[in-house]
Amino acid sequence: MTTRKQFKPVDEQIAYLRKGAAEIIREEDLRAKLEASVKSGKPLRVKLGVDPTAPDLHLGHTVVLRKLKHFQDLGHTAIFLVGDFTAMVGDPTGQSETRPPLTREQVGANAKTYLEQVYKILSKENTEVRYNSEWLGKLTSYEIVRLCAHYRLARMLEHEDFRSRLAGNLPIAVHELLYPLFQAYDSVVLEADVELGATEQKFNLLMGREIQREYGQPSQVALTMPILVGLDGQRKMSKSLGNYVGITEAPSEMFGKLMSISDEMMWPYFDLVTDRTPEEIAALTAKVKSGSTHPMEMKMSLAQEIIAGFHGAAAAEKAAAEFQRVYRDRQAPSEMHEYIFDRGEDGYPFDSNANPKLSHAIHFHGIVSSRAEAERLIKQGAVEFDGVVIKDPTFAINMNEPGTHTVRVGKKPPFLVVVK
């Protein structure tokens, strides 16, 4: 005999699921589905679709993943849908031009690493993993035409990205119009009760509601989550913008990046990437406002909490101690990157007859993105060489004196330059 599943009271579930959510469309529908679930003992089917367009996840990706975990925590079925077929089509959302489709090999490699990282948040045993190539790859031409017949072109062109491209006389490829329809059809096949996505996915999620009705199913609830702003405090977190915190990065690297966010940005991070309740976050905010807790201490607590979720409490504590040692106590870290400068070595990147400028060395080793940025930081007094602030952008490393030198650039971890 199948054991009837027991769920928490509906009001308690709603309160938990509201945390951090941007919009629930419609909340009354969610309440009705939860009430039916409690009565029947049958869990809701909650879908999150992700196209594996890159190999690594960052904190921005985890915002909606955490909401899927919340449903999982409440006993509902978490469906992690790998968009291996749709990734080869290319999502037009947020794109000002046609996104180049990925190859099957790229998608397969990315999907493998995605799942390894996703299980840092979701319970592997209680997650239903599906691939939309299972059904989208088998659709006949007739079935695709039938799917297209369920939606009007005028409605499709209400999509903000399509509308702005039309206004700017920019091209829209026909396959891009199919993407939202394919995503909606995923909900039909999976019989989704709820679909999760970022706020920018709202159009696609709402289309899922309509297409389900067209196929004789109840409409899913669309729950959107805010987009996490990156380390620059202005644009959404993105690897291409360099304002991201990767969840597989070393704990010390994550800690340093998180400590670089502004004091104001702490609170959205507490809300979206920790399990703190709204009441707990309000209490923490009050402590900072009253002066009983310094913003730096609160930010260190945030960084430690986030890192513990991915690397464990011991690694988070070690990263915090290292940050305290290097940035607050101005001591050298226990481990430092070492760059060897040897004019006699094959492939030596600088003129072997001259001393390399410090700015060139900083740029060459990837500490900053350009020589100009390195020179700007030196002029601002943000670079130290053996504990001495350097403000001369022409300062050069003396290659005639073998030895080891410590270099600091802004808030980045110090590193060693070894002259041989």
Side-chain angles (χ1 to χ4, degrees):
M1 181 184 290
T2 304
T3 306
R4 192 170 180 275
K5 206 158 191 176
Q6 298 294 315
F7 296 99
K8 290 184 177 180
V10 170
D11 285 343
E12 198 174 322
Q13 292 192 61
I14 292 275
Y16 186 52
L17 296 171
R18 272 200 201 113
K19 179 187 181 295
E23 202 171 0
I24 301 174
I25 307 169
R26 300 177 318 163
E27 190 169 312
E28 55 266 38
D29 291 348
L30 178 59
R31 178 174 290 277
K33 286 176 184 285
L34 289 171
E35 286 170 350
S37 170
V38 168
K39 286 178 184 174
S40 67
K42 183 181 176 185
L44 298 185
R45 292 181 59 75
V46 186
K47 164 199 169 192
L48 170 62
V50 179
D51 286 355
T53 54
D56 300 311
L57 297 178
H58 55 63
L59 279 184
H61 295 120
T62 69
V63 172
V64 70
L65 269 171
R66 292 178 67 81
K67 187 53 62 181
L68 184 59
K69 182 183 181 295
H70 292 167
F71 276 97
Q72 195 175 60
D73 291 343
L74 294 170
H76 299 292
T77 302
I79 306 169
F80 184 76
L81 175 64
V82 179
D84 59 334
F85 186 94
T86 41
M88 292 187 291
V89 176
D91 186 359
T93 303
Q95 302 297 307
S96 58
E97 57 186 33
T98 302
R99 187 197 292 264
L102 299 178
T103 65
R104 191 175 295 277
E105 290 72 28
Q106 286 173 310
V107 169
N110 291 348
K112 185 176 183 296
T113 61
Y114 260 39
L115 288 173
E116 291 168 1
Q117 295 167 64
V118 160
Y119 292 139
K120 289 178 176 285
I121 297 170
L122 299 177
S123 161
K124 185 176 182 178
E125 295 74 24
N126 299 314
T127 302
E128 182 180 322
V129 178
R130 302 291 294 273
Y131 296 80
N132 61 13
S133 60
E134 291 175 35
W135 50 87
L136 294 180
K138 296 173 185 174
L139 284 178
T140 65
S141 301
Y142 171 76
E143 287 168 328
I144 293 173
V145 170
R146 182 169 170 254
L147 173 60
C148 292
H150 286 301
Y151 209 78
R152 302 286 180 267
L153 179 61
R155 290 291 306 281
M156 185 72 78
L157 295 178
E158 290 173 7
H159 192 303
E160 184 181 345
D161 299 298
F162 292 150
R163 196 171 66 242
S164 60
R165 279 205 241 168
L166 282 175
N169 291 318
L170 297 171
I172 301 171
V174 173
H175 77 276
E176 293 181 276
L177 301 176
L178 290 174
Y179 185 95
L181 285 165
F182 285 152
Q183 182 175 331
Y185 189 70
D186 292 340
S187 293
V188 173
V189 174
L190 294 171
E191 297 183 334
D193 293 302
V194 181
E195 182 171 12
L196 310 178
T199 48
E200 62 184 4
Q201 284 285 321
K202 181 177 176 179
F203 180 92
N204 294 358
L205 270 57
L206 293 180
M207 185 181 287
R209 285 172 60 86
E210 292 197 39
I211 295 299
Q212 280 181 309
R213 282 198 299 269
E214 291 290 326
Y215 279 81
Q217 292 184 7
S219 293
Q220 66 185 14
V221 170
L223 191 156
T224 61
M225 295 297 292
I227 292 168
L228 188 70
V229 175
L231 302 176
D232 56 5
Q234 298 175 341
R235 298 169 294 180
K236 80 173 187 177
M237 186 172 285
S238 166
K239 196 164 187 179
S240 62
L241 295 174
N243 63 353
Y244 70 100
V245 181
I247 69 171
T248 58
E249 289 182 313
S252 58
E253 183 77 10
M254 291 179 73
F255 205 99
K257 286 185 173 184
L258 287 165
M259 291 303 294
S260 74
I261 65 173
S262 68
D263 294 349
E264 293 74 24
M265 284 299 301
M266 270 196 293
W267 309 115
Y269 277 57
F270 264 118
D271 191 29
L272 297 175
V273 290
T274 78
D275 284 328
R276 297 278 187 170
T277 66
E279 293 75 22
E280 287 175 321
I281 295 170
L284 295 176
T285 307
K287 284 184 177 181
V288 171
K289 283 185 176 176
S290 69
S292 63
T293 302
H294 193 279
M296 174 74 80
E297 299 296 336
M298 189 62 71
K299 206 182 297 180
M300 288 185 73
S301 171
L302 168 67
Q304 202 166 327
E305 196 167 326
I306 290 171
I307 292 164
F310 298 109
H311 296 285
E317 286 176 17
K318 184 179 177 184
E322 188 77 351
F323 182 88
Q324 173 82 21
R325 171 188 173 89
V326 176
Y327 295 102
R328 301 188 72 181
D329 301 341
R330 301 296 288 174
Q331 296 179 37
S334 53
E335 295 179 10
M336 285 195 276
H337 284 297
E338 199 173 85
Y339 300 106
I340 308 296
F341 283 55
D342 186 349
R343 284 190 288 202
E345 193 176 65
D346 289 342
Y348 178 69
F350 308 108
D351 182 353
S352 59
N353 296 314
N355 291 325
K357 285 184 180 180
L358 180 59
S359 59
H360 293 189
I362 290 170
H363 168 241
F364 179 79
H365 288 295
I367 311 301
V368 296
S369 59
S370 68
R371 288 183 181 180
E373 185 184 355
E375 290 178 2
R376 178 180 60 79
L377 289 169
I378 290 172
K379 288 176 183 176
Q380 290 175 350
V383 175
E384 291 181 16
F385 189 82
D386 286 339
V388 178
V389 175
I390 304 298
K391 290 190 175 181
D392 178 4
T394 65
F395 179 87
I397 299 168
N398 188 348
M399 295 297 293
N400 296 315
E401 294 183 6
T404 300
H405 307 280
T406 302
V407 181
R408 287 179 183 268
V409 180
K411 293 184 178 181
K412 296 179 184 292
F415 60 92
L416 298 176
V417 168
V418 181
V419 176
K420 291 191 172 181

